[in-house]
Amino acid sequence: MFIPKTERIKKLAGLFPDEIEELKNIFKDSTHVYVDWSNVFHWQGKLGWHIHQGRLKQLLDSFDTIKSVKIYMGTLEGNQKSEDNLKELASFGYDIKTKPVKLMKMSINTSSIPSNSAALLENFIKKCLLSKFNLSTIEYLNSKLADLNKQGITYIEDMKCNFDVEIGRDMLLDFERKHAENFVLWSGDSDFTDPISQLLGDNKTVYLFATSRRVSYELNEIGLPIFDIKKIKEFICWPKEIPQSVKDKIA
């Protein structure tokens, strides 16, 4: 059953009844939702708008068949903004799954490699692409790294925090414990192909919430139904990103 959690959602539902009907059909059985935030976060650049975590939870809470909403997000230890975000997620009522973000130091020091060597570049560019570059391109890229070295920059930091194992495990545990009939994943990562295939093989319903061109080939291949989150932008985006025409109608 759909019971709008807020007056805003109630008004939006009146403007977008088809979208709500589609969600009601998706959430018709006991449902667990899994939000791979590190994956979802990067969709925002392609979408051109941002997902408001609080408004997303309010929308999901409007469906009484949704029994759990787990969100998976790394923590930057000692970073106040990161820690405050986790507190905010807790206030929204999410089931939070987190672990420390790893900061990986990656060398860009060119002092020990020839200018025509691709050895350093292989750490950042796939070999299949590097093989298409001619010698002058390799030398040019190495020269740019050397310029950074002259500025005292000999390495860069990359953040790594992957939850594929944890999400796949939780989905299968919820299945084994008979916690849900319906599994909704917010991600497009190919690493979920095996657990999702197992759920489908056991006659469970699985839906993927994603956006176009952000779903892996492997997930497309298994015929998973995909709900494009662009359909619910007005429900889950930042308030300032709601089109003015919609704001006028719900004011």
Side-chain angles (χ1 to χ4, degrees), residues 169-198:
R169 176 202 62 201
D170 287 349
M171 293 177 77
L172 294 178
L173 281 175
D174 287 339
F175 161 66
E176 291 174 1
R177 294 168 180 169
K178 303 185 186 303
H179 286 174
E181 292 297 316
N182 187 31
F183 298 80
V184 172
L185 174 64
W186 283 61
S187 185
D189 200 312
S190 62
D191 289 339
F192 298 116
T193 305
D194 285 345
I196 287 175
S197 295
Q198 183 173 334

Side-chain angles (χ1 to χ4, degrees), residues 65-118:
T65 51
I66 294 181
K67 306 304 180 182
S68 170
V69 182
K70 297 181 178 70
I71 189 167
Y72 300 78
M73 176 187 290
T75 305
L76 277 170
E77 294 182 328
N79 183 291
Q80 192 62 48
K81 184 177 179 181
S82 177
E83 293 174 2
D84 287 346
N85 189 204
L86 288 179
K87 292 178 182 177
E88 188 174 44
L89 288 175
S91 72
F92 295 148
Y94 281 102
D95 182 356
I96 304 167
K97 306 292 183 178
T98 188
K99 62 184 177 182
V101 174
K102 294 180 181 179
L103 291 176
M104 315 290 288
K105 288 187 176 182
M106 305 178 69
S107 174
I108 57 169
N109 191 336
T110 62
S111 61
S112 61
I113 65 166
S115 62
N116 62 356
S117 171

Side-chain angles (χ1 to χ4, degrees), residues 234-249:
E234 287 78 9
F235 290 89
I236 65 173
C237 71
W238 288 1
K240 65 181 180 181
E241 295 172 335
I242 297 176
Q244 188 60 47
S245 59
V246 175
K247 288 182 180 179
D248 293 340
K249 292 177 182 177

